[in-house]
Amino acid sequence: MDKMLFLLNDGPDASSGAWIEALSRNCEVEVIDLARKEVPYDALVDKIFACDKLISW
Amino acid sequence: MKLGMLVNTAKHADQVVGICRAALAKKHEVIIFAMDEGTRLLENDAFVSLAALEGVSMTLCDHSAKIIGAKTEGLPPKIACASQLNNAMMNHNADRVIVL
Amino acid sequence: MQKKIAVLVRDGQGEALRMSLGLILVDDLVDVYVLDRKLQATEETALHLETLKEMEMQIRTNCRDNEGMEYLPNEEIARKLPQYDHILAY
């Protein structure tokens, strides 16, 4: 199963939850909310290159 | 590896700068393409200064800049006023692309 | 090697479609997904849509109001997306 990194550029919105749920049926999805700055940038870069697929939402 | 950064809004300057610098610190190359509202960041010194860093290439969509009214005079020569071809090249060459 | 790119058209519809057309300039495969809403009927979107079709690009949507596009439910789109090298949500 692919690892997908789902970046929320501006936090959750009306449709992000539904898409994350739908994608989770086919991928191992990790969600990072960039608006909350919960992940240091160096760790984020590692995650960007460690994942198989990436979506900036 | 190569990180593509498609900058199409002016809302995430801090993230663009932070992620770009963190990627460079880990010896990755960074390709930045600014279009649409993202061309407004050409008035942001921290964003513009990224172009001077080793390992960074930066281009912008000249069409967008004209529509948006972004300031393109006096930009460093390393920032190329270009076209969507450069975005296509970035996506073709980058291992990962983030949109901010 | 040819890349596979999905463009997810959300808010900036005209620019997203223009970008989609630009992305094929280096012969990568580009599919377009118009998500969650009807494509606005503007001169710009109509022109880009016509060109996308002339270029025989795949245009899919999860919104049944969008005529002339292949309708797919969210689950089917979510199943397809991991097949792309880059997924660009605009």
Side-chain angles (χ1 to χ4, degrees), chain B residues 4 29 31 38 50 69 79 83 90:
Chain B
E29 290 181 42
I31 310 165
L50 294 175
I79 302 178
S83 71
M90 176 182 76

Side-chain angles (χ1 to χ4, degrees), chain A residues 9-10 42 46 48 51 56, chain B residues 11-12 26 96-99:
Chain A
N9 290 349
D10 301 297
D42 62 335
D46 287 342
I48 286 169
C51 70
S56 304
Chain B
K11 297 186 292 184
H12 307 108
K26 291 177 176 289
R96 297 285 182 276
V97 176
I98 63 173
V99 185

Side-chain angles (χ1 to χ4, degrees), chain A residues 2-7 44-56, chain B residues 1-7 19 23 28-33 87-100, chain C residues 1 3-5 82 84-88:
Chain A
D2 282 336
K3 291 183 179 177
M4 178 174 284
L5 187 60
F6 198 104
L7 301 178
L44 179 60
V45 168
D46 287 342
K47 287 178 181 291
I48 286 169
F49 285 108
C51 70
D52 300 302
K53 307 293 170 182
L54 170 67
I55 297 182
S56 304
Chain B
M1 299 184 85
K2 293 181 182 176
L3 174 64
M5 303 183 84
L6 171 59
V7 182
I19 293 169
H28 298 298
E29 290 181 42
V30 179
I31 310 165
I32 298 173
F33 181 78
N87 188 32
M89 291 165 60
M90 176 182 76
N91 275 276
H92 186 79
N93 293 321
D95 298 290
R96 297 285 182 276
V97 176
I98 63 173
V99 185
L100 285 164
Chain C
M1 195 173 76
K3 289 262 177 81
K4 290 183 68 176
I5 301 169
Y84 294 91
D85 295 298
H86 299 314
I87 305 161
L88 309 176

Side-chain angles (χ1 to χ4, degrees), chain A:
Chain A
M1 187 177 268
D2 282 336
K3 291 183 179 177
M4 178 174 284
L5 187 60
F6 198 104
L7 301 178
L8 292 166
N9 290 349
D10 301 297
D13 65 16
S15 60
S16 57
W19 282 108
I20 290 165
E21 184 182 342
L23 288 162
S24 297
R25 294 182 194 130
N26 305 288
C27 298
E28 182 184 323
V29 180
E30 180 178 5
V31 181
I32 295 178
D33 185 346
L34 295 183
R36 294 179 60 185
K37 299 182 179 174
E38 55 197 358
V39 177
Y41 289 130
D42 62 335
L44 179 60
V45 168
D46 287 342
K47 287 178 181 291
I48 286 169
F49 285 108
C51 70
D52 300 302
K53 307 293 170 182
L54 170 67
I55 297 182
S56 304
W57 192 260

Side-chain angles (χ1 to χ4, degrees), chain B residues 37-92:
Chain B
E37 290 284 335
T39 57
R40 293 193 191 282
L41 290 185
L42 296 169
E43 296 177 27
N44 180 304
D45 291 340
F47 176 76
V48 170
S49 69
L50 294 175
L53 301 175
E54 189 176 344
V56 175
S57 64
M58 186 185 294
T59 57
L60 63 100
C61 176
D62 194 43
H63 175 78
S64 284
K66 285 189 168 67
I67 298 286
I68 296 290
K71 181 185 164 206
T72 55
E73 300 85 23
L75 290 175
K78 267 195 77 180
I79 302 178
C81 292
S83 71
Q84 288 291 320
L85 172 62
N86 295 74
N87 188 32
M89 291 165 60
M90 176 182 76
N91 275 276
H92 186 79

Side-chain angles (χ1 to χ4, degrees), chain B residues 14-37:
Chain B
D14 289 348
Q15 287 90 338
V16 172
V17 172
I19 293 169
C20 177
R21 288 185 175 276
L24 293 175
K26 291 177 176 289
K27 307 300 181 192
H28 298 298
E29 290 181 42
V30 179
I31 310 165
I32 298 173
F33 181 78
M35 66 174 287
D36 203 345
E37 290 284 335

